[in-house]
Amino acid sequence: MGERKLAIYGAGMVGVSVYYAIKTLYKSCEIEAFLVTEMKGNPEAIQGIPVLALNEFHKREVKILIAAPENHHEAMAAELEKRNLTDYIFMDSKKEANLMEQYYNAIGRFPSLRSCAVGEEKSSLQVYMTRFHRDTPLKNPYTPPKWVCPIQAGAALTKERVTEIRDDLGDNISKKNVNYSELTAMYWAGRHTALPPDAYLGLFHYRRVLDVREEDLYRLGENDIDVVLPFPTIHFPSAEEHHRRYVKDEDWQAMVQALRELAPDYEKRMAEIFARPYFYNYNMFIAKESVFKAYCDWLFPILGRTEELSRPRGWERADRYIGYLGENLTTLYFMYHQKDLCIVHTGRRMLT
């Protein structure tokens, strides 16, 4: 980053994560401010650094780092150009992944998949990539590895077919896709996939994938890895910021009650885990098939009970709230099992 002043355009999970990494890795780099398009829903300061609306920022000598998911980059750059703030660069998901890997290595947390030894035997891997009948085409072509198989999520909601494998075949919850999002595909994968012993099973999204390469298949079994997750995003002041931003309090309380009834040991650890800043986004991971299915067996009864306790109940609405709660439960489950599962991490790529 060099010895210069920066302003980070973005005060959400990407901007905050990048801030912590730069602060640790590039000590000569001075962060002047977090910038946002408007202040509504944003804090006044993060770790003592002011959060400013673009209209309040006039320092031309400061380079601006756009740190947000790539699908917002074009609009954010346009906002800067309108104000004649032209000295900016983008933090794309590849740069972000590299930065966060360096950061977590530096602080000795959340070990990287790439730090694992390469073995001589290649593990078997089956990853489903969710597709939806209204997906917009990617501007930049992406050819998935041969071990990635598309699955149509929410197939029960339309007659249009975009993949051979669909989440409405056999035992399924496809009709719940309006609330469960990609989790309807996860449910199907957990119920219908049969793989060889010691094989790995996973879930990607149409526009989000984990950075897992062919060489990494020689790392999985060699290191007896249980789970590959994306590097955690960092939230300010804590991981609770995620559900405060995306989930109504009454829905959160319904989930807490479901945990209290069905998984009380996890409910007792919630306050401690969500008081930390680290969060596993996207309902996306790769795991040993047995670990993947054990997680599904734990997750879906809790979500089903949450639907029953919600007002309006889950089947009376269509607002994706279960999908957001699923991210929180992914965080809870795998943070809870940090000491008894071999968990490693890799970058998350955003496809555009």
Side-chain angles (χ1 to χ4, degrees):
M1 293 289 173
E3 295 185 12
R4 68 170 307 166
K5 296 180 179 181
L6 282 179
I8 297 175
Y9 186 6
M13 61 187 181
V14 177
V16 173
S17 300
V18 165
Y19 163 75
Y20 277 95
I22 291 174
K23 178 183 174 184
T24 299
L25 298 171
Y26 301 95
K27 298 186 184 299
S28 62
C29 188
E30 184 178 347
I31 308 297
E32 291 276 303
F34 289 91
L35 305 179
V36 293
T37 307
E38 58 179 38
M39 287 299 297
K40 183 179 179 181
N42 288 296
E44 294 184 358
I46 296 173
Q47 287 285 294
I49 307 297
V51 178
L52 304 174
L54 285 181
N55 289 337
E56 301 173 7
F57 187 76
H58 307 291
K59 295 186 177 181
R60 304 296 174 191
E61 73 279 7
V62 175
K63 182 176 283 292
I64 297 172
L65 178 62
I66 297 177
E70 272 109 320
N71 57 315
H72 299 298
H73 282 189
E74 187 175 340
M76 294 171 78
E79 291 292 336
L80 293 175
E81 294 282 352
K82 279 195 305 186
R83 295 163 176 82
N84 199 30
L85 296 168
T86 57
D87 188 9
Y88 60 83
I89 55 175
F90 297 104
M91 175 62 69
D92 62 28
S93 58
K94 185 175 181 179
K95 293 176 184 175
E96 179 195 347
N98 290 337
L99 185 67
M100 298 314 296
E101 182 171 13
Q102 292 176 57
Y103 170 67
Y104 284 126
N105 283 343
I107 67 171
R109 301 202 65 173
F110 304 109
S112 168
L113 172 62
R114 299 282 135 66
S115 67
C116 298
V118 176
E120 296 182 358
E121 293 189 17
K122 185 178 180 180
S123 293
S124 176
L125 174 60
Q126 172 72 72
V127 173
Y128 292 99
M129 174 183 268
T130 59
R131 296 292 310 275
F132 192 64
H133 69 282
R134 290 201 295 267
D135 286 338
T136 55
L138 295 172
K139 294 179 182 178
N140 300 300
Y142 170 74
T143 302
K146 60 184 178 181
W147 36 265
V148 172
C149 180
I151 180 172
Q152 183 172 348
L157 304 176
T158 179
K159 293 182 179 179
E160 190 173 345
R161 299 291 172 244
V162 297
T163 65
E164 181 179 345
I165 298 175
R166 312 192 312 264
D167 71 350
D168 64 339
L169 303 172
D171 178 13
N172 72 87
I173 56 171
S174 182
K175 288 183 178 179
K176 295 185 176 186
N177 183 263
V178 290
N179 280 323
Y180 278 64
S181 299
E182 62 278 344
L183 293 177
T184 60
M186 183 184 291
Y187 179 95
W188 189 94
R191 290 293 190 277
H192 297 280
T193 307
L195 298 175
D198 301 319
Y200 288 79
L201 178 60
L203 186 74
F204 289 173
H205 303 187
Y206 175 50
R207 292 184 178 275
R208 300 187 191 102
V209 300
L210 293 180
D211 182 13
V212 175
R213 307 163 194 175
E214 202 68 22
E215 68 190 55
D216 296 323
L217 304 192
Y218 293 90
R219 291 185 164 100
L220 296 174
E222 174 70 14
N223 299 276
D224 197 25
I225 292 168
D226 289 306
V227 189
V228 182
L229 283 154
F231 286 113
T233 51
I234 301 176
H235 295 251
F236 178 85
S238 69
E240 289 189 2
E241 175 62 21
H242 181 275
H243 80 256
R244 288 175 181 154
R245 184 179 291 255
Y246 295 106
V247 179
K248 297 176 183 177
D249 184 63
E250 51 267 36
D251 293 330
W252 179 258
Q253 294 306 323
M255 185 196 75
V256 172
Q257 179 61 33
L259 279 163
R260 194 172 291 131
E261 295 175 10
L262 302 176
D265 289 345
Y266 293 84
E267 190 270 336
K268 290 174 184 175
R269 293 279 309 278
M270 279 186 68
E272 167 209 339
I273 288 172
F274 288 112
R276 305 169 189 169
Y278 308 110
F279 192 86
Y280 288 129
N281 294 81
Y282 315 118
N283 294 316
M284 183 170 65
F285 62 93
I286 290 169
K288 288 179 180 175
E289 183 184 19
S290 59
V291 174
F292 188 103
K293 292 184 175 181
Y295 174 63
C296 289
D297 290 343
W298 177 88
L299 174 70
F300 288 104
I302 294 167
L303 295 179
R305 180 59 177 149
T306 301
E307 284 188 284
E308 294 172 353
L309 294 167
S310 301
R311 295 293 181 268
R313 291 176 296 186
W315 49 89
E316 298 169 336
R317 57 202 283 191
D319 58 6
R320 300 179 63 190
Y321 81 109
I322 292 291
Y324 290 126
L325 289 174
E327 292 181 291
N328 286 275
L329 291 172
T330 299
T331 301
L332 176 62
Y333 186 87
F334 289 112
M335 293 291 183
Y336 182 97
H337 287 287
Q338 269 188 323
K339 293 182 179 179
D340 55 85
L341 290 176
C342 179
I343 301 174
V344 298
H345 305 81
T346 190
R348 170 259 308 141
R349 285 188 57 197
M350 298 288 289
L351 306 179
T352 57

